[in-house]
Amino acid sequence: MRVLMIGSGGVGDAAARIAAERDFFDLWVVADHDVARAERTVREVTQRHTAPGGADGPARFVAAQVDASDAAAVTALAREHRATHVFNAVDPRFVMPIFEGARAAGADYLDMAMSLSRRHPTDPYGTVGVKLGDEQFAHAAQWEAEGRLALVGIGVEPGLSDVFARYASDHLFSEIDELGTRDGANLVVHDEAGTEIFAPSFSIWTTIEECLNPPVVWEKDHGWFTTEPFSEPEVFEFPEGIGPVECVNVEHEEVLLMPRWLDAKRVTFKYGLGDEFIGVLRTLHTLGLDRTEKVRVPSSSGPVDVSPRDVVAACLPDPATIGPQMTGKTCAGLWVTGTGKDGRPRRTYLYHVVDNEWSMQTYGAQCVVWQTAVNPVVALELLARGTWAGAGVLGPEAFDAQPFLELLAAPKPAGYESPWGLEDR
């Protein structure tokens, strides 16, 4: 396997560090529009990690420059390095050029977020419009005809949550009432003086996209429909000391993926944002600072066109850099209700918790980006082994969950004895 990874931000950098401990690939190209950033990732991977059994793991990593918005550039780089798999580790606005570039190069493709939706009207039981992933699924027949695989939504959420859904369907439930992804944390970020600051632990560009577009819900009797942003608040009790967090509906890929392969009466995604974060997002929307369309502003060099959302992202700390200032844990998981295999009512939370102190000490990566990055690496190893195989545009639900969860749990780095858990409530 020869992997072209596009993006060496927080998640891409963490993925390279995780991959360096494994021996399933021959080459891992770290590509970024800023080649210095890609080179830094390769240099730090070389310093920190070696492959199992004494293999020269870091020597398998090389850096490259690429424009992720240019499908032809992606194709050319994939062909130059004879990539068998193109791994998209940048934000979802670049999904389609990378997706198209991989296919043109004859490579398989993986991403952690799907093609963008168009902002839906808030219209319960009405027309949703262009949904997350629609642009990719429109090409499913071509990918399948060419014998190529596009594995979409294989981060943590979407990704591991979808694997949990397949596992619950196969092993825990005979009938599912709801597949409800629930994400929460007790993370806090402080400045150098020790004062708590507002610093999102994941891409603010992506977070704005997810949280301000009307959320999509799926019900068996109605299909996909929308609700108001931040609707249906509920307090969810997260495990391993995180505790109660208020969660609200947010647009997310799981709702668009799970019903395609799994039988459930309802599918939802709720995110534990907190009052402060919701207030910031509402303010950004009120001021128009969530817009991606460029506006003209004066500068010392004359008028320039900038995207307000890009300005917001530039003004906040880079999520890849805040790990040393962060404390707490993050939890990704799936709340499943229905009827168990024994015919009795069942309510189960399948989850994955990562402590920031552990991920920083072990990998030099903050917990949210590490938790996202480990799952595509596990998927790539399953594909390299032939344990997972397929053609077309497929989500994680299309594959057997058992080998994924087994590989996620082993090898077990020190301090990571329980990589995923299950609670019946």
Side-chain angles (χ1 to χ4, degrees):
M1 176 179 282
R2 300 172 68 87
V3 179
L4 167 58
M5 182 181 73
I6 298 179
S8 57
V11 175
D13 182 76
R17 293 168 188 253
I18 296 163
E21 298 180 331
R22 301 169 183 254
D23 61 1
F24 64 86
F25 60 94
D26 300 311
L27 179 70
W28 191 287
V29 181
V30 181
D32 199 280
H33 74 282
D34 180 355
V35 70
R37 188 160 71 166
E39 290 169 343
R40 183 182 67 231
T41 291
V42 171
R43 182 172 61 251
E44 293 184 0
V45 164
T46 301
Q47 292 170 351
R48 292 184 65 96
H49 297 292
T50 56
D56 189 9
R60 298 170 296 160
F61 287 81
V62 298
Q65 194 280 332
V66 71
D67 178 357
S69 68
D70 185 345
V74 173
T75 299
L77 187 61
R79 287 175 174 165
E80 176 186 346
H81 291 281
R82 295 180 288 115
T84 59
H85 294 74
V86 174
F87 167 26
N88 178 353
V90 293
D91 70 57
R93 66 185 130 168
F94 300 109
V95 161
M96 289 311 295
I98 300 174
F99 176 82
E100 292 166 353
R103 179 172 165 243
D108 287 355
Y109 168 88
L110 296 88
D111 64 32
M112 296 171 284
M114 300 192 300
S115 59
L116 293 173
S117 62
R118 305 292 183 267
R119 184 154 289 186
H120 316 298
T122 303
D123 183 14
Y125 305 148
T127 301
V128 175
V130 178
K131 305 181 297 300
L132 292 168
D134 276 359
E135 288 185 81
Q136 290 170 287
F137 282 112
H139 296 277
Q142 294 98 311
W143 281 80
E144 186 172 7
E146 294 167 10
R148 301 255 58 91
L149 171 65
L151 175 50
V152 297
I154 188 62
V156 62
E157 290 175 344
L160 182 56
S161 51
D162 303 78
V163 171
F164 284 150
R166 174 64 186 265
Y167 182 84
S169 179
D170 286 351
H171 300 282
L172 305 180
F173 288 80
S174 60
E175 185 176 61
I176 294 174
D177 292 334
E178 180 174 355
L179 294 167
T181 306
R182 299 292 184 267
D183 180 304
N186 60 359
L187 298 171
V188 178
V189 181
H190 297 89
D191 63 15
E192 294 180 357
T195 303
E196 186 175 336
I197 61 173
F198 179 79
S201 57
F202 203 70
S203 162
I204 189 63
W205 197 101
T206 304
T207 303
I208 289 171
E209 182 72 20
E210 293 173 347
C211 294
L212 292 179
N213 205 10
V216 178
V217 173
W218 188 87
E219 291 182 355
K220 196 167 188 176
D221 294 338
H222 300 101
W224 285 293
F225 62 92
T226 58
T227 70
E228 292 283 352
F230 316 121
S231 60
E232 298 182 6
E234 66 174 81
V235 176
F236 192 83
E237 186 77 26
F238 288 91
E240 298 193 23
I242 295 175
V245 179
E246 185 176 74
C247 298
V248 294
N249 279 323
V250 168
E251 182 190 41
H252 227 254
E253 285 88 348
E254 290 91 331
V255 178
L256 288 311
L257 283 171
M258 292 177 185
R260 296 176 186 268
W261 286 279
L262 303 175
D263 187 18
K265 295 177 183 176
R266 179 175 166 88
V267 183
T268 59
F269 179 96
K270 291 189 179 182
Y271 196 7
L273 293 169
D275 290 341
E276 180 189 19
F277 206 154
I278 290 174
V280 169
L281 291 169
R282 290 190 189 280
T283 299
L284 291 174
H285 180 61
T286 299
L287 297 176
L289 295 176
D290 59 326
R291 293 167 53 196
T292 57
E293 301 84 0
K294 292 183 178 181
V295 297
R296 180 153 293 187
V297 298
S299 78
S300 59
S301 304
V304 294
D305 295 326
V306 296
S307 158
R309 194 185 300 185
D310 287 345
V311 173
V312 171
C315 290
L316 289 170
D318 182 346
T321 67
I322 62 175
Q325 303 161 255
M326 183 187 293
T327 58
K329 299 177 180 179
T330 185
C331 179
L334 183 73
W335 174 238
V336 190
T337 62
T339 304
K341 294 293 188 182
D342 60 1
R344 300 173 61 185
R346 184 168 188 173
R347 297 154 59 89
T348 302
Y349 186 56
L350 300 96
Y351 65 88
H352 185 264
V353 171
V354 182
D355 186 288
N356 189 69
E357 181 180 5
W358 172 83
S359 65
M360 287 299 300
Q361 288 180 350
T362 309
Y363 287 92
Q366 57 104 322
C367 58
V368 176
V369 299
W370 185 92
Q371 187 184 49
T372 304
V374 68
N375 297 287
V377 176
V378 170
L380 281 164
E381 183 163 352
L382 292 174
L383 292 170
R385 291 178 178 181
T387 307
W388 276 11
V393 179
L394 303 177
E397 301 87 347
F399 301 90
D400 185 3
Q402 188 74 40
F404 186 100
L405 295 174
E406 290 174 356
L407 188 55
L408 180 67
K412 296 177 180 177
Y416 189 58
E417 296 305 312
S418 299
W420 69 278
L422 181 157
E423 287 184 355
D424 285 316
R425 300 181 179 180

